[in-house]
Amino acid sequence: DLHSFPTRRSSDLLVRDVYVNLKKAWRSIQAAGFFEGTDLRIGLRTGDTSQRVRRRHLSDPPAILLTTPESLAQMLAQPSAHDFFRSLRWVILDEIHALLGNQRGADLAISLERLDALRCSESGVQRIGLSATCAPLATVAHFLVGTDRHCAVAQVADVTTKHFTIEPLFESLTYSPGWMAALLDRLDDELADYQTTLIFANTRNLAERLTWALRRRYPERCDEIAVHHSAISAARRRGVERRLKHGQLWIAISSTSLELGIDIGTVDNVIFVHPPGGVVRLLQRVGRSGHRPDQPRRGLLLTASPSELLEAVVTASSGRDGQIEAVRMAGGPLDVVCQQLVGMAMTGPWLPADAFELIRRAAPYRNLAWHDFQDCLDYLSGRRADGTPWLPARLQWQGDNFTIADARTAKLLRRNLGSILTEEVCAIRLRAPTDDDVTRTQAIGEIDHAYAERLQPGDRFVLDGRCLEFKKRETAALLVDEVFGRPQVPRWLGTGVPMSSELARRIFFFRMHAAEVLRDGEEALHFWLRLEFQLNDAAISSIGRYVLQQETISEVPTLATLLIESVAMQSCTEFYVHTALPRSANETLTRVLLHRWRRLKKPTAMAIAGDLGFFLVLQETESLTPDDWRDGLHAGDFVDDFDEHLRDSELLRHHFARVAQTGLMILRNPAGRKRKVGGKDWSQRRLFDQIRQRMPDFVLLRQAQQEAISAGDLAMAQTFVEQLASMQIRFRNLGQPSPFGESLMRGGFQASPITGEPVMEFAEAR
């Protein structure tokens, strides 16, 4: 049963939960008098499984094995894989929707084909995919069974009642002290009405901050308030899961880790602090509540600004109507092919044609070209396309067959298999008071390595909802004491929750329609909001005021025009460009725009992309004409200009660093030791420059370019600039930012600025 989600720890949580419940169910069946004397052994294999248990699995396979894609890849790379899997009959993929659009899914798709190849019978392995939130079903089915196979689809209607309540809290900056106080005040009544409440914050930082604040507010119930996210130690996460399942927690706060389909007991209510960022995520999270008969799924969405309120309204409305985001299959990443080829070579010799045919049976690789496959083999063999040696070889050749270079290479690479790349973190260990002189510690969790390096003895930060004071550094951890006081919130790296193109367009349409209704008066708009979206008076008043102020100060953008608002400052000019695109596509627009302006010697500019537009600052008071914007956003050579920008940007370096690790060019933990020479990412930086200079068409560099293009929704951005040729550009010179512009600027500050010059910390400076 391959439980798969975007992070390794999330996968481990889900698969472990199924393992515990499956064993419990089997004992109940036997206690009822069924299958007496039958030994149905259930095994669990994750990244935390001991070597002793792993060896036992191989020598005496369990009847049912629960594992993850990464652990499956490691098992398939064992020479004994054929004996272990030859009696396999079924593979169940739970939460299959979380796999289609990422590298984990592509990796698993090839692993499934390898499982079929190991089967002795011609019928192959029966594959079963499960998901409560996926569409379109045909795409999911194709991913599940691969090419040239049939799939039966069973769809069960969701008849559960869902209650969404949407409330504005405070229309100030999202993380101001006033907003947090308003949040805690609002939670008082909500928490009192339910036995167990699950609160979702969109970031680990906010989850920690809220946990600490709630424990200070309710000291008498401090032990019943817990936080759960991927930076908390495994033992503490399991403790939270166990207590939550048994109804021993009053409040649980999570970032994303508890939104999976695990058994978390009797959660009565789910609270969203800020919108969840997508319809599927909304339904996944609210589905954690109401697990008792005839109980509805309850979700309270608390928003911190009018733009968040509007997003929450559209997201909840889409969730009620079942308008979930469409899943898109990954495009067959070549770094995963390299990793799978290495895993296949560890089991014995392979003919290239046989390996190529097997990989193309996986749905993401149905269009894999022979020359791309051959480039992967050449790289892994340590040679260029002309046969001249170049890199250390991972493979060796025995006549026409390839196999692993040697046993040492196999041992080194086997523990680097997997497509999940974790951030560089520093372990936190809490010192425990003892009567002797021996210092005893216990693991608390992890914080970002860059943040940890800036800490000085005496600094305080919050983790696990507790105020911790840094005392001293050990080789691989920071030692801390728990103290009273007001801590800082640590920083973790992350890309945030991307908004889908479907949701961005629905929000844009909602604003347009609200502006049209407003032409009949405010009462008409209020009536429409109450009738169509079941909002309360506070939410209706907030949205009505938001749209009215936008129309008064500027105008509500439409699909027929490109609205550009400008605000002249003393030393610069600010521009707010409104589109119906998500942040990813807007970032591509701004990259091409600034690249072209820089080439045309335009004044220095900097942009921050957000959802539904981007915020741009011209570092001079000189104004821009409509022709300047047309020149910067015309459709001609748009893809070529993006490629030209990409070659000189940090974006390509970032993607290459990830691809080089997945493609086993750079090992995450070489020979069991972390690389320290040259500082963080030294090897990736040095390698990137050498590769680009010596072999600009290198297969992993091509894959990095493709990932940068996909991440930036280049196709969507190109479609927009093509449509822009027939659109009117409307300029609004304002004395102050419009409400939509303010929202765009605040939302964009969560991302990094984009500039033709070296990156500036503009968001922090402002």
mmCIF file of all heavy atoms in Angstrom, residues 531-553:
data_model
loop_
_atom_site.group_PDB
_atom_site.id
_atom_site.type_symbol
_atom_site.label_atom_id
_atom_site.label_comp_id
_atom_site.label_asym_id
_atom_site.label_seq_id
_atom_site.Cartn_x
_atom_site.Cartn_y
_atom_site.Cartn_z
ATOM 1 N N LEU A 531 -27.299 36.039 -0.893
ATOM 2 C CA LEU A 531 -28.079 34.993 -1.546
ATOM 3 C C LEU A 531 -27.186 33.899 -2.124
ATOM 4 O O LEU A 531 -27.453 32.705 -1.946
ATOM 5 C CB LEU A 531 -28.943 35.605 -2.652
ATOM 6 C CG LEU A 531 -29.802 34.625 -3.471
ATOM 7 C CD1 LEU A 531 -30.868 33.997 -2.584
ATOM 8 C CD2 LEU A 531 -30.426 35.336 -4.673
ATOM 9 N N GLU A 532 -26.115 34.269 -2.814
ATOM 10 C CA GLU A 532 -25.294 33.307 -3.540
ATOM 11 C C GLU A 532 -24.233 32.641 -2.671
ATOM 12 O O GLU A 532 -23.851 31.500 -2.926
ATOM 13 C CB GLU A 532 -24.600 33.998 -4.722
ATOM 14 C CG GLU A 532 -25.558 34.494 -5.797
ATOM 15 C CD GLU A 532 -26.233 33.350 -6.537
ATOM 16 O OE1 GLU A 532 -25.620 32.259 -6.625
ATOM 17 O OE2 GLU A 532 -27.364 33.536 -7.007
ATOM 18 N N PHE A 533 -23.767 33.328 -1.615
ATOM 19 C CA PHE A 533 -22.615 32.807 -0.879
ATOM 20 C C PHE A 533 -22.879 32.634 0.613
ATOM 21 O O PHE A 533 -21.973 32.264 1.353
ATOM 22 C CB PHE A 533 -21.405 33.728 -1.094
ATOM 23 C CG PHE A 533 -21.040 33.891 -2.540
ATOM 24 C CD1 PHE A 533 -21.464 35.004 -3.253
ATOM 25 C CD2 PHE A 533 -20.314 32.919 -3.197
ATOM 26 C CE1 PHE A 533 -21.146 35.153 -4.600
ATOM 27 C CE2 PHE A 533 -19.991 33.056 -4.539
ATOM 28 C CZ PHE A 533 -20.411 34.170 -5.242
ATOM 29 N N GLN A 534 -24.093 32.915 1.072
ATOM 30 C CA GLN A 534 -24.490 32.709 2.468
ATOM 31 C C GLN A 534 -23.512 33.357 3.452
ATOM 32 O O GLN A 534 -23.106 32.757 4.455
ATOM 33 C CB GLN A 534 -24.613 31.214 2.793
ATOM 34 C CG GLN A 534 -25.711 30.489 2.020
ATOM 35 C CD GLN A 534 -25.264 30.031 0.644
ATOM 36 O OE1 GLN A 534 -24.222 29.401 0.504
ATOM 37 N NE2 GLN A 534 -26.045 30.338 -0.371
ATOM 38 N N LEU A 535 -23.125 34.593 3.168
ATOM 39 C CA LEU A 535 -22.180 35.299 4.038
ATOM 40 C C LEU A 535 -22.913 36.035 5.146
ATOM 41 O O LEU A 535 -24.082 36.407 5.008
ATOM 42 C CB LEU A 535 -21.354 36.289 3.210
ATOM 43 C CG LEU A 535 -20.523 35.704 2.066
ATOM 44 C CD1 LEU A 535 -19.779 36.805 1.330
ATOM 45 C CD2 LEU A 535 -19.541 34.664 2.586
ATOM 46 N N ASN A 536 -22.199 36.275 6.249
ATOM 47 C CA ASN A 536 -22.774 37.064 7.323
ATOM 48 C C ASN A 536 -22.606 38.554 7.023
ATOM 49 O O ASN A 536 -21.944 38.949 6.052
ATOM 50 C CB ASN A 536 -22.151 36.694 8.675
ATOM 51 C CG ASN A 536 -20.639 36.893 8.690
ATOM 52 O OD1 ASN A 536 -20.101 37.753 8.004
ATOM 53 N ND2 ASN A 536 -19.959 36.077 9.489
ATOM 54 N N ASP A 537 -23.185 39.383 7.872
ATOM 55 C CA ASP A 537 -23.198 40.824 7.615
ATOM 56 C C ASP A 537 -21.795 41.417 7.587
ATOM 57 O O ASP A 537 -21.500 42.302 6.777
ATOM 58 C CB ASP A 537 -24.047 41.531 8.678
ATOM 59 C CG ASP A 537 -25.527 41.212 8.540
ATOM 60 O OD1 ASP A 537 -25.932 40.754 7.448
ATOM 61 O OD2 ASP A 537 -26.281 41.410 9.524
ATOM 62 N N ALA A 538 -20.924 40.944 8.491
ATOM 63 C CA ALA A 538 -19.571 41.492 8.537
ATOM 64 C C ALA A 538 -18.813 41.207 7.242
ATOM 65 O O ALA A 538 -18.132 42.086 6.692
ATOM 66 C CB ALA A 538 -18.815 40.916 9.729
ATOM 67 N N ALA A 539 -18.928 39.979 6.743
ATOM 68 C CA ALA A 539 -18.239 39.629 5.500
ATOM 69 C C ALA A 539 -18.826 40.389 4.319
ATOM 70 O O ALA A 539 -18.092 40.870 3.445
ATOM 71 C CB ALA A 539 -18.327 38.123 5.260
ATOM 72 N N ILE A 540 -20.140 40.506 4.278
ATOM 73 C CA ILE A 540 -20.796 41.238 3.182
ATOM 74 C C ILE A 540 -20.365 42.690 3.180
ATOM 75 O O ILE A 540 -20.033 43.254 2.130
ATOM 76 C CB ILE A 540 -22.327 41.121 3.319
ATOM 77 C CG1 ILE A 540 -22.776 39.694 3.010
ATOM 78 C CG2 ILE A 540 -23.031 42.106 2.396
ATOM 79 C CD1 ILE A 540 -24.234 39.437 3.300
ATOM 80 N N SER A 541 -20.355 43.306 4.346
ATOM 81 C CA SER A 541 -19.958 44.712 4.439
ATOM 82 C C SER A 541 -18.510 44.905 4.020
ATOM 83 O O SER A 541 -18.175 45.860 3.311
ATOM 84 C CB SER A 541 -20.163 45.206 5.868
ATOM 85 O OG SER A 541 -19.708 46.524 6.020
ATOM 86 N N SER A 542 -17.627 43.985 4.421
ATOM 87 C CA SER A 542 -16.207 44.107 4.093
ATOM 88 C C SER A 542 -15.971 43.987 2.591
ATOM 89 O O SER A 542 -15.244 44.795 1.996
ATOM 90 C CB SER A 542 -15.407 43.046 4.843
ATOM 91 O OG SER A 542 -14.038 43.134 4.531
ATOM 92 N N ILE A 543 -16.582 42.981 1.956
ATOM 93 C CA ILE A 543 -16.395 42.816 0.512
ATOM 94 C C ILE A 543 -17.022 43.983 -0.249
ATOM 95 O O ILE A 543 -16.437 44.497 -1.215
ATOM 96 C CB ILE A 543 -16.994 41.475 0.051
ATOM 97 C CG1 ILE A 543 -16.189 40.307 0.622
ATOM 98 C CG2 ILE A 543 -17.026 41.390 -1.472
ATOM 99 C CD1 ILE A 543 -16.722 38.948 0.243
ATOM 100 N N GLY A 544 -18.214 44.400 0.173
ATOM 101 C CA GLY A 544 -18.857 45.524 -0.498
ATOM 102 C C GLY A 544 -18.013 46.771 -0.430
ATOM 103 O O GLY A 544 -17.863 47.495 -1.431
ATOM 104 N N ARG A 545 -17.441 47.052 0.732
ATOM 105 C CA ARG A 545 -16.596 48.240 0.890
ATOM 106 C C ARG A 545 -15.321 48.110 0.062
ATOM 107 O O ARG A 545 -14.837 49.086 -0.536
ATOM 108 C CB ARG A 545 -16.274 48.420 2.372
ATOM 109 C CG ARG A 545 -15.489 49.670 2.701
ATOM 110 C CD ARG A 545 -15.498 49.959 4.197
ATOM 111 N NE ARG A 545 -14.975 48.824 4.976
ATOM 112 C CZ ARG A 545 -15.709 48.029 5.709
ATOM 113 N NH1 ARG A 545 -17.031 48.198 5.786
ATOM 114 N NH2 ARG A 545 -15.154 47.031 6.396
ATOM 115 N N TYR A 546 -14.770 46.902 0.004
ATOM 116 C CA TYR A 546 -13.533 46.638 -0.748
ATOM 117 C C TYR A 546 -13.729 46.922 -2.239
ATOM 118 O O TYR A 546 -12.931 47.634 -2.871
ATOM 119 C CB TYR A 546 -13.147 45.181 -0.511
ATOM 120 C CG TYR A 546 -11.851 44.709 -1.123
ATOM 121 C CD1 TYR A 546 -10.665 45.393 -0.940
ATOM 122 C CD2 TYR A 546 -11.814 43.519 -1.863
ATOM 123 C CE1 TYR A 546 -9.479 44.921 -1.470
ATOM 124 C CE2 TYR A 546 -10.633 43.040 -2.398
ATOM 125 C CZ TYR A 546 -9.468 43.741 -2.203
ATOM 126 O OH TYR A 546 -8.291 43.273 -2.730
ATOM 127 N N VAL A 547 -14.805 46.383 -2.816
ATOM 128 C CA VAL A 547 -15.073 46.585 -4.247
ATOM 129 C C VAL A 547 -15.441 48.036 -4.530
ATOM 130 O O VAL A 547 -15.003 48.626 -5.531
ATOM 131 C CB VAL A 547 -16.189 45.626 -4.712
ATOM 132 C CG1 VAL A 547 -16.527 45.874 -6.175
ATOM 133 C CG2 VAL A 547 -15.771 44.171 -4.512
ATOM 134 N N LEU A 548 -16.243 48.657 -3.646
ATOM 135 C CA LEU A 548 -16.644 50.049 -3.844
ATOM 136 C C LEU A 548 -15.442 50.981 -3.802
ATOM 137 O O LEU A 548 -15.321 51.904 -4.629
ATOM 138 C CB LEU A 548 -17.664 50.446 -2.781
ATOM 139 C CG LEU A 548 -18.155 51.907 -2.829
ATOM 140 C CD1 LEU A 548 -18.832 52.196 -4.164
ATOM 141 C CD2 LEU A 548 -19.102 52.198 -1.664
ATOM 142 N N GLN A 549 -14.523 50.774 -2.866
ATOM 143 C CA GLN A 549 -13.334 51.619 -2.786
ATOM 144 C C GLN A 549 -12.449 51.455 -4.016
ATOM 145 O O GLN A 549 -11.861 52.435 -4.504
ATOM 146 C CB GLN A 549 -12.551 51.279 -1.521
ATOM 147 C CG GLN A 549 -13.218 51.740 -0.240
ATOM 148 C CD GLN A 549 -12.439 51.316 0.995
ATOM 149 O OE1 GLN A 549 -11.510 50.492 0.926
ATOM 150 N NE2 GLN A 549 -12.800 51.870 2.149
ATOM 151 N N GLN A 550 -12.351 50.220 -4.533
ATOM 152 C CA GLN A 550 -11.563 50.013 -5.747
ATOM 153 C C GLN A 550 -12.171 50.776 -6.912
ATOM 154 O O GLN A 550 -11.461 51.423 -7.685
ATOM 155 C CB GLN A 550 -11.481 48.520 -6.075
ATOM 156 C CG GLN A 550 -10.738 48.189 -7.366
ATOM 157 C CD GLN A 550 -9.263 48.512 -7.317
ATOM 158 O OE1 GLN A 550 -8.665 48.536 -6.242
ATOM 159 N NE2 GLN A 550 -8.660 48.780 -8.466
ATOM 160 N N GLU A 551 -13.487 50.721 -7.053
ATOM 161 C CA GLU A 551 -14.166 51.446 -8.127
ATOM 162 C C GLU A 551 -14.050 52.948 -7.947
ATOM 163 O O GLU A 551 -13.974 53.699 -8.920
ATOM 164 C CB GLU A 551 -15.648 51.042 -8.173
ATOM 165 C CG GLU A 551 -15.904 49.701 -8.829
ATOM 166 C CD GLU A 551 -15.851 49.776 -10.346
ATOM 167 O OE1 GLU A 551 -14.727 49.931 -10.896
ATOM 168 O OE2 GLU A 551 -16.903 49.692 -10.985
ATOM 169 N N THR A 552 -14.028 53.414 -6.695
ATOM 170 C CA THR A 552 -13.946 54.851 -6.428
ATOM 171 C C THR A 552 -12.552 55.390 -6.693
ATOM 172 O O THR A 552 -12.380 56.440 -7.330
ATOM 173 C CB THR A 552 -14.348 55.135 -4.970
ATOM 174 O OG1 THR A 552 -15.665 54.631 -4.731
ATOM 175 C CG2 THR A 552 -14.315 56.627 -4.682
ATOM 176 N N ILE A 553 -11.533 54.684 -6.218
ATOM 177 C CA ILE A 553 -10.157 55.152 -6.368
ATOM 178 C C ILE A 553 -9.613 54.869 -7.756
ATOM 179 O O ILE A 553 -8.902 55.683 -8.349
ATOM 180 C CB ILE A 553 -9.266 54.496 -5.294
ATOM 181 C CG1 ILE A 553 -9.709 54.946 -3.902
ATOM 182 C CG2 ILE A 553 -7.798 54.827 -5.525
ATOM 183 C CD1 ILE A 553 -8.977 54.245 -2.775
#
